Amino acid sequence: MRKRSIFALTLIPFALVSCKRTSELYAQGAYDTGTFMGNYYTEYNNVDKLEINSQTDIDFSIVADKISNPSGDNLLSCLSLEDQVNSKGDPLSWFYDNPKTGYDKEFGPTKCMSHIDDSFSYGILSKLYDGRVHCDGYYAASRVQLNKTGYGTFFPKEMKSAKWFGVSVRGSSDTDGYKNCSAVVDFNFTFYRHILNSKAVDAYTIAVNGVKVSVANSVPHGSLLAFYFMEAFASKGLDYAEICDGLVGMSMDYKLVSVDADPKDVAEYGELTDDMNDKEKPHFAIFLYEVFFGDSTWI
Amino acid sequence: MKFLDKIKNQDALIIFLIMECLAICSFALGGISYIFYGLGIFVGVVTILFSYNRFKGEDFKSLLVFMPPMFVLSIFLSFGKLLSANVVENILVFLSINIFLFLGIAARKFKGFKADFVLIAVGVSIALLVLISMFITWIQYGLFYAARYKNTPIYYYNAETFDITKETVWLIGFKIKETSIIYTSAFAVILVCYSFGLLFISPKEQTRKFCIYGVLGFIGLLYLITIPYFIAFQYLVPAFAVALVCRFVKISKKANDIINYALLFISAMAILFFIFAFMNAAGSVNEDSPSKLASVISSNHLLDRIFNSNRIMDPINVVLRQGSLKYNLFGFVPEFNDRVLSYSEFEAVEDAVVTNSKMFEIELIKEGGIFTIFLIVLIIVMGYMFARKYMKESRDEKHEKIIIVSILLSFTLYKSFESDVFPLIHEPDNYYSFFRNPLTLVMIFFFGMLYISKANPTPEKKEEKQNDVEEVSI
């Protein structure tokens, strides 16, 4: 009996083992290889395996031309004034974005997800939640590089409410050319809402077509593309509050429509493609710096 | 003091207070430093009141040798520039360093005191801290995680990358925080030293004591093995060797002298090396016009490799260079002052502050200036001399002596090569001063216990003295 007790005691450590901190580990230099083609993040983190109960498509392309990258203290055109000022009513700067010192002064560090809920601080996608909305010399450490297939992820918690959604994005290419041009991109943002007592989810895809993004590597600034959930869902007669209450994940993908390129670049390098698997053409990718769920609450 | 005489069992009360103080410090409720300082000072004052009349004239003479180096070091460290912002804290640090040293010296003056009491109080507190942290580590990381994940060690937190094999979770204050393995393993190293005392305890005759020390040592071993962090074991080898020699080997006087001279030679070489390293660093502050010595060293391939181009000396040289500058003489400048230095010079100081040399002796230069390293070397040499005397002449039992000496030796060795002053992984701006650490105060107490009072010699020493007197009479 005593031997069995001792044996049972030695098994306790194994019973205690869980994988909380070891569930997402990487080798050195993951998605930060120093090469363009080695930095694509194409994971869907099992979001693509979700059973979809219903699919709702919403075309909200009217916000496409509101994508903005204001300099200095200028305001963002995609959000109302009240959503881009600090507690004292002063405008938050989009241009500056220091996650350590910028809270209540700069837009990114103030509105970022890791500030709203600390659970967003963990994981490789914490790059999208830290408040750094531009490159700032951090290159791949500050962003997620997306192929046309995009990426997907579950949220660390379930959303209770949110007011607006935004992404800081820009384009890039793996050529030395295309330095001062822009690209037109169609984005799809899909949000997954869980259904009570069911494994299936309802999917809501909001398409924003015709977004103009910079392709210039020499201008490493992200631009904010944002919209209000109320307006987006209301365009289909849906109650945004009801939909946001229960969102568990999201995915996004895009399509490169056209590039406003110098004909010399096209002649020298070829036409850009948004498909990383195309070995013939030079590649275009979306650099995603930040994902926002403005004024959101989570449980 | 008539009212003090009314307290019965004064000695038992003092011993209890000392044990409580050490136990709380060993549990190291981090971030609540004022409690340790205040508690230590309170217990120290009470101890002084009860013990001042138990010191004889001979004691004061030897205390004049034993105490001053630590006293002077505490002045440099408490009032050095780097951590000078809070004057009250600095005074408390100064008082507590000296009071903990005094507590170690005075503890034996109280009737009924045994080294076992403080060893067990400290050991159980550290073991509790290690056990709690270890169980939470098992839950969050799993067993042997440093080995299992050595190929995929990177995780992301707040968009920054961290190496999971270099961290663990630790109870700091009332929170669990990600902490460097280097910092936490010091506690386990201390616990393992308890197992060395088992060589001197009979499991049949002193079963309870054997079990207590065995369990304490086992907890330390278990912690280091289940990470695993085997590097820590190399710092236990010298203490274990001392324990084995004391247990199984009878050293002749000649062999003893040879060991003494060998250790003195090694110490002299180490001091000489440091002097050259310091002069080389000081001479290379101005890269455009280095000193002659710095030029000779950098032009010789072997010397350059030893003194400059290796990953051990790189951070040490950064600190030594700044330590050689006039404005950093009493600790590194904490804030920019354009009357004292230029902004680029201040940036160089800041870089040196965040450079982690992993040697506590070098890190002290940041806090108290270059003189601190000479004082700490003096204290270490004195510690060796007093430890030898303690082992030979102390009335403590053999296992007590071995454990105390092992703890001091292993802790000093460990911190000489694995000292992390920025142990909080996700809060890298938090500077953990070596001497403003409750565990170090406990070590200072043990250092004080090495002191042997001449006024109260051991029976062997008494007999020696009596023989001397008889010879003189004849």
Side-chain angles (χ1 to χ4, degrees), chain B residues 9 42 52 66 101 107 112 256 335 338 342 348 372 412 431 442:
Chain B
N9 287 329
F42 166 72
Y52 73 96
F66 191 75
L101 180 67
N256 197 22
E335 284 171 354
D338 58 7
S342 68
T372 55
T412 306
Y431 182 84
V442 174

Side-chain angles (χ1 to χ4, degrees), chain A residues 7-18:
Chain A
F7 180 66
L9 277 170
T10 57
L11 291 179
I12 285 176
F14 297 98
L16 290 172
V17 165
S18 80

Side-chain angles (χ1 to χ4, degrees), chain B residues 297-473:
Chain B
I297 287 175
S298 60
S299 57
N300 182 290
H301 178 74
L302 178 64
L303 290 175
D304 186 58
R305 196 103 177 97
I306 294 169
F307 285 97
N308 291 330
S309 312
N310 64 76
R311 61 186 178 86
I312 294 173
M313 288 305 293
D314 279 343
I316 293 173
N317 281 333
V318 169
V319 179
L320 287 179
R321 261 182 230 121
Q322 289 301 315
S324 67
L325 296 170
K326 206 168 51 180
Y327 44 80
N328 289 329
L329 198 59
F330 298 104
F332 286 9
V333 175
E335 284 171 354
F336 174 60
N337 182 346
D338 58 7
R339 274 180 275 176
V340 174
L341 69 174
S342 68
Y343 194 73
S344 60
E345 287 171 337
F346 175 66
E347 280 185 321
V349 176
E350 276 193 317
D351 286 342
V353 170
V354 300
T355 299
N356 201 347
S357 66
K358 289 173 72 178
M359 294 181 71
F360 84 92
E361 299 92 339
I362 302 292
E363 295 297 322
L364 293 182
I365 297 174
K366 297 177 190 174
E367 295 177 40
I370 194 68
F371 298 115
T372 55
I373 195 165
F374 297 108
L375 287 164
I376 200 74
V377 165
L378 177 62
I379 289 170
I380 290 172
V381 169
M382 273 178 53
Y384 167 70
M385 288 161 51
F386 278 96
R388 285 182 61 90
K389 197 175 171 196
Y390 169 74
M391 291 290 286
K392 196 174 160 192
E393 297 175 20
S394 170
R395 288 167 178 267
D396 288 346
E397 291 185 46
K398 280 187 183 164
H399 72 274
E400 292 166 343
K401 293 188 213 182
I402 278 297
I403 293 173
I404 288 173
V405 168
S406 297
I407 286 174
L408 286 169
L409 176 60
S410 301
F411 184 76
T412 306
L413 269 176
Y414 185 83
K415 287 293 188 181
S416 293
F417 296 98
E418 307 286 351
S419 181
D420 195 342
V421 289
F422 297 103
L424 298 186
I425 302 292
H426 295 164
E427 298 169 42
D429 296 335
N430 270 321
Y431 182 84
Y432 269 55
S433 161
F434 177 78
F435 266 92
R436 294 179 187 226
N437 185 323
L439 189 65
T440 306
L441 293 176
V442 174
M443 294 301 117
I444 292 173
F445 174 89
F446 282 137
F447 184 82
M449 285 191 72
L450 295 179
Y451 171 77
I452 305 294
S453 167
K454 276 188 184 169
N456 190 17
T458 57
E460 293 82 10
K461 246 331 196 203
K462 231 181 194 169
E463 199 181 312
E464 251 182 64
K465 268 196 172 170
Q466 277 173 347
N467 290 339
D468 287 344
V469 168
E470 280 168 13
E471 280 174 18
V472 166
S473 305

Side-chain angles (χ1 to χ4, degrees), chain A residues 102-122:
Chain A
Y103 181 74
D104 221 32
K105 290 180 283 193
E106 294 151 16
F107 186 90
T110 308
K111 300 290 185 181
C112 64
M113 295 310 299
S114 60
H115 239 296
I116 291 175
D117 195 299
D118 187 53
S119 61
F120 284 91
S121 299
Y122 293 90

Side-chain angles (χ1 to χ4, degrees), chain A residues 230-244:
Chain A
M230 186 170 78
E231 292 170 6
F233 288 119
S235 68
K236 265 267 178 159
L238 297 167
D239 179 2
Y240 86 101
E242 194 185 316
I243 294 169
C244 288

Side-chain angles (χ1 to χ4, degrees), chain A residues 18 21 25-26 121 123 126 130, chain B residues 139-140 152 154 156 158-159 178:
Chain A
S18 80
R21 288 179 190 267
L25 295 175
Y26 301 90
S121 299
S126 62
D130 67 333
Chain B
I139 291 168
Q140 302 218 352
T152 52
I154 303 299
Y156 286 79
N158 252 343
E178 293 82 2

